[in-house]
Amino acid sequence: MKPLYRVLLIIGIAMGVVATSLIFGVGQTLLMHVQAGRITDQLTYSIYQSGGDGWVTGMSLTLAREVQGWLPEGSTASVVSFEQHDAAVQIGPEYYGASVVGVDASFASVYGLEVLEGRFFSPEEQRAQRRVCAVTGDLAALFGWEALADLRINGIEYEVVGAVQGDVNPAFLTLGGYSASTVFVPVELWYEDLNEGNFEHGLIMQLVVDAPGWSRAELSGLLSQNLIHREDAPVLKVGDPNEQGSREWMETLLVLTAVFLIAFIVFLLAGLNIIQIASADVWDQQRVFGLKVALGALPKHLAREIIGQIASCALQGGYLGVVLAGVVNTAMNRLVGMYWASFNIFTVLAGIILALLVGWITAVVPARQAAQIDPVAVLQQER
Amino acid sequence: MIELVSVTKVYGEGPSSVRALDAVNLKLQAGEMTAVMGPSGSGKTTLLNIIGCLDSATEGEYYLDGKNVAGFDLKAKAQLRNEAFGFVFQSFNLLPDKTVLDNVMLPLRYSRVPRRQWKQKAAVALEKMGLADLAQRRPDQLSGGQQQRVAIARALVNDPQVILADEPTGNLDSSTGREIVEVLKSLAEERGKVVVVVTHDGMVASHAKRLLQMVDGRIIDDSTLDSSSVVFSHPNPSGVIW
């Protein structure tokens, strides 16, 4: 095979692998979306303070409590502070990089978090300002309950009363989410032990509300009625996590569709490129194949040689493609909000196997062409 | 050893068809070098291709060692080409990106010879052609005569019974051509091969033991030559003067 054909073939196969990894990435994202959609079946609203232009500014705890007082009867709500990452969380003798979030006792039920062990702290404990907390399941699994009996935040001892589900898909939350390694403490103590105890500091990210029978518009109206008489009324907004997620998802879906289409076209072009180059190679080597037939080669011998050559290119193209796919998918993971593609040893193996498979399939056409070469005709062309 | 009985080859159909061979009858014996001469389009190469199982006859019978080759399938014919026949072409047909040794090994790749014997067999064939020192060179590093010797080594590597040469000296100067003809002659006389050489060159033909003269797909003359015979080249269609 000519060196130029070989290089083009390797590039073509690498393009095919990259395109396929993107197609798989889109598929994985869709699958994750469908699976994640099953987690949250409860409609919660998020009340947050808007700083304009889509920015979110923190509410003070005082304001959050005031807003909680306006909520309709039968509703449940919990404040959620910003995630504090710089707190010194000590479990036994070890420090661990867990974040600390201040919430109300109703947080787990409003958020729909599954309690994995023990319980979430109670309203009574919160009112009594007992230093109790709940951790995400990964911390419980990592350290074990015995070690968690000795948990300190900034040197202050907290009693761990339970572990809750950690992997909450951020796509369904209005503002942020908790993936893992989080300690939930009563919000007042969070202010006191970690933030100088000043409840006027705007550190509340959102107020999550479960208001059965209330629409988002009705809740917004309720907030407006209460804010209208205030001179320095903050801009409070009501977000519907599912609605918010849907909007973000629609935007992502557009990007994913574009990525899918481009990847699919690249995949087709790569496939055609491979077939064309391999066919061109057969055409260029007609006399060689004719000679081989004259010397006793059967179609299967020629097919084996062609497939071997293409497989060798496919292997190299596969390696190159896997590396490029790693770069492209990493960029996509960072740039496209909800795009999700895992990249591990299985992805690498799948990429190489795919390249070999594509190589093998696309070698069939040129192998057939080679098998149909008439040695008499091609060897007479020398005359 | 080889017997053609009323072999006809027609290309195409209907009024535009061409009768390349017309009821050719021929017997070829081991140890005999036969030259085939005739004007262009007389059917020489077609005859060679049919003998070498590169092409099939439209009609007639072809016996090789008493077996009717006409009934052989693709695989059996490929095996015959690989084991029973050695081909030598005008333009050598060596693979330019392979070494001399690899070129000579090529027929072995399609044979039943175990892979571990390939190198040794190819080296022996090259040794016999006096090319042992050039085994690792590429064809473009060789002279025309050396390239044709490599092609003959490749034809001999499977020790075939029949050597079929199509204008083997066509691309060589006269002295190199004479050397190649001597090699082919020795294959017939010393190693008992059937050697068939298609040529336009009277010098080549005059080394043959037997001369076939073809015109319009028919053998119009089949003569035995002696050492004093002189064969003149075409275009004299009546062929041969000696």
Side-chain angles (χ1 to χ4, degrees):
Chain A
M1 185 175 283
K2 284 182 179 175
L4 176 67
Y5 286 165
R6 199 174 169 79
V7 169
L8 289 175
L9 208 54
I10 290 170
I11 291 172
I13 289 168
M15 279 165 54
V17 171
V18 173
T20 312
S21 79
L22 285 173
I23 291 169
F24 282 153
V26 171
Q28 277 180 318
T29 307
L30 290 170
L31 197 65
M32 287 293 291
H33 182 75
V34 171
Q35 284 180 338
R38 290 185 192 134
I39 296 170
T40 315
D41 52 2
Q42 168 177 3
L43 183 62
T44 54
Y45 296 106
S46 166
I47 297 174
Y48 59 95
Q49 187 165 345
S50 170
D53 291 336
W55 289 97
V56 175
T57 56
M59 273 187 278
S60 69
L61 182 59
T62 313
L63 174 62
R65 291 292 184 229
E66 194 180 346
V67 173
Q68 269 181 291
W70 304 336
L71 294 176
E73 206 173 317
S75 63
T76 325
S78 169
V79 295
V80 183
S81 75
F82 282 96
E83 272 189 284
Q84 188 122 11
H85 290 283
D86 57 359
V89 177
Q90 193 180 354
I91 300 168
E94 291 180 51
Y95 284 95
Y96 192 73
S99 61
V100 184
V101 177
V103 295
D104 287 328
S106 54
F107 173 74
S109 64
V110 176
Y111 237 74
L113 294 185
E114 187 185 347
V115 177
L116 304 173
E117 289 203 65
R119 57 182 175 80
F120 208 75
F121 59 81
S122 67
E124 291 74 27
E125 286 168 323
Q126 186 178 5
R127 270 197 297 276
Q129 299 217 343
R130 282 192 56 195
R131 285 194 163 74
V132 286
C133 66
V135 298
T136 46
D138 64 310
L139 288 178
L142 193 61
F143 291 95
W145 275 108
E146 232 169 86
L148 285 171
D150 182 15
L151 184 142
R152 289 161 195 273
I153 300 171
N154 285 355
I156 303 166
E157 196 171 329
Y158 274 77
E159 180 192 348
V160 181
V161 294
V164 295
Q165 169 195 353
D167 287 321
V168 180
N169 191 327
F172 291 89
L173 304 175
T174 304
L175 300 164
Y178 307 100
S179 52
S181 302
T182 301
V183 181
F184 299 105
V185 301
V187 66
E188 291 82 4
L189 292 175
W190 181 84
Y191 262 92
E192 279 179 19
D193 292 346
L194 284 84
N195 292 289
E196 299 162 359
N198 188 347
F199 292 172
E200 297 306 318
H201 283 171
L203 299 176
I204 300 301
M205 182 172 66
Q206 61 184 327
L207 186 62
V208 283
V209 180
D210 177 19
W214 282 69
S215 70
R216 182 180 163 212
E218 287 169 334
L219 271 183
S220 290
L222 186 67
L223 291 182
S224 299
Q225 282 170 23
N226 286 282
L227 287 167
I228 199 162
H229 304 297
R230 289 177 65 146
E231 280 184 14
D232 56 342
V235 181
L236 293 180
K237 293 207 165 181
V238 180
D240 172 348
N242 289 320
E243 190 181 307
Q244 179 82 6
S246 297
R247 196 166 54 242
E248 196 184 335
W249 173 245
M250 285 309 289
E251 286 166 7
T252 305
L253 200 61
L254 273 176
V255 177
L256 290 181
T257 307
V259 169
F260 179 83
L261 286 175
I262 292 168
F264 191 69
I265 289 167
V266 169
F267 181 77
L268 286 182
L269 289 177
L272 288 174
N273 167 57
I274 295 165
I275 294 175
Q276 281 193 329
I277 290 170
S279 299
D281 185 58
V282 170
W283 175 258
D284 276 10
Q285 294 197 73
Q286 276 194 94
R287 277 187 57 194
V288 172
F289 288 123
L291 172 71
K292 288 177 176 176
V293 171
L295 297 181
L298 283 164
K300 69 174 181 187
H301 293 122
L302 302 182
R304 214 177 286 157
E305 284 181 21
I306 291 168
I307 289 170
Q309 283 177 352
I310 293 179
S312 153
C313 292
L315 211 55
Q316 293 176 58
Y319 289 141
L320 181 64
V322 164
V323 172
L324 288 177
V327 173
V328 171
N329 277 296
T330 305
M332 286 283 292
N333 276 333
R334 289 190 180 183
L335 297 176
V336 181
M338 295 166 82
Y339 181 84
W340 189 88
S342 66
F343 210 73
N344 49 39
I345 183 70
F346 297 107
T347 324
V348 171
L349 284 176
I352 291 171
I353 290 170
L354 176 90
L356 285 173
L357 197 67
V358 168
W360 183 72
I361 291 170
T362 49
V364 170
V365 173
R368 274 193 184 170
Q369 289 169 337
Q372 286 166 358
I373 286 174
D374 176 7
V376 173
V378 296
L379 291 173
Q380 274 179 348
Q381 285 169 9
E382 67 186 271
R383 301 285 170 98
Chain B
M1 178 169 187
I2 288 176
E3 184 177 8
L4 302 184
V5 182
S6 197
V7 165
T8 297
K9 177 69 183 178
V10 180
Y11 289 111
E13 285 177 12
S16 61
S17 64
V18 175
R19 191 169 279 262
L21 288 183
D22 190 2
V24 169
N25 292 297
L26 176 67
K27 280 186 181 178
L28 297 167
Q29 296 301 327
E32 196 177 68
M33 175 164 151
T34 303
V36 183
M37 294 187 81
S40 294
S42 59
K44 307 182 297 292
T45 298
T46 304
L47 176 66
L48 203 70
N49 289 337
I50 286 176
I51 293 173
C53 293
L54 283 170
D55 208 347
S56 302
T58 312
E59 287 171 29
E61 306 292 327
Y62 170 18
Y63 296 98
L64 178 69
D65 284 338
K67 290 175 193 163
N68 190 354
V69 173
F72 280 22
D73 63 9
L74 183 83
K75 191 177 172 186
K77 282 187 176 174
Q79 195 177 326
L80 270 186
R81 286 198 299 274
N82 184 255
E83 294 175 354
F85 300 107
F87 294 91
V88 180
F89 305 93
Q90 179 179 351
S91 59
F92 324 133
N93 277 330
L94 300 176
L95 305 184
D97 56 337
K98 302 282 182 197
T99 65
V100 163
L101 188 71
D102 287 336
N103 267 287
V104 177
M105 281 200 299
L106 191 59
L108 296 169
R109 301 173 74 91
Y110 312 120
S111 73
R112 290 175 291 188
V113 175
R115 182 185 276 263
R116 62 179 182 280
Q117 294 178 19
W118 292 359
K119 269 193 180 172
Q120 186 209 348
K121 276 182 163 281
V124 168
L126 281 172
E127 179 80 44
K128 284 179 181 165
M129 288 294 116
L131 296 169
D133 296 343
L134 307 178
Q136 294 309 319
R137 293 211 188 161
R138 291 187 188 279
D140 59 4
Q141 296 171 312
L142 306 180
S143 68
Q146 286 171 327
Q147 288 190 50
Q148 195 58 299
R149 279 171 181 269
V150 173
I152 294 172
R154 181 180 64 191
L156 291 173
V157 73
N158 265 334
D159 195 22
Q161 303 156 276
V162 184
I163 300 293
L164 302 170
D166 195 355
E167 299 279 7
T169 61
N171 282 355
L172 303 175
D173 61 60
S174 58
S175 80
T176 312
R178 193 164 291 121
E179 283 175 27
I180 295 299
V181 173
E182 289 294 343
V183 170
L184 293 172
K185 192 177 173 184
S186 71
L187 291 175
E189 292 177 356
E190 293 166 24
R191 296 174 64 180
K193 311 281 183 199
V194 176
V195 177
V196 183
V197 183
V198 165
T199 185
H200 282 107
D201 187 343
M203 180 277 293
V204 176
S206 60
H207 281 74
K209 190 174 180 182
R210 187 176 167 194
L211 177 62
L212 303 177
Q213 180 70 26
M214 292 189 72
V215 173
D216 294 337
R218 285 175 287 120
I219 297 174
I220 59 164
D221 194 78
D222 182 352
S223 315
T224 303
L225 306 180
D226 59 35
S227 56
S228 61
S229 300
V230 177
V231 181
F232 293 93
S233 303
H234 276 284
N236 178 6
S238 62
V240 193
I241 303 168
W242 62 89

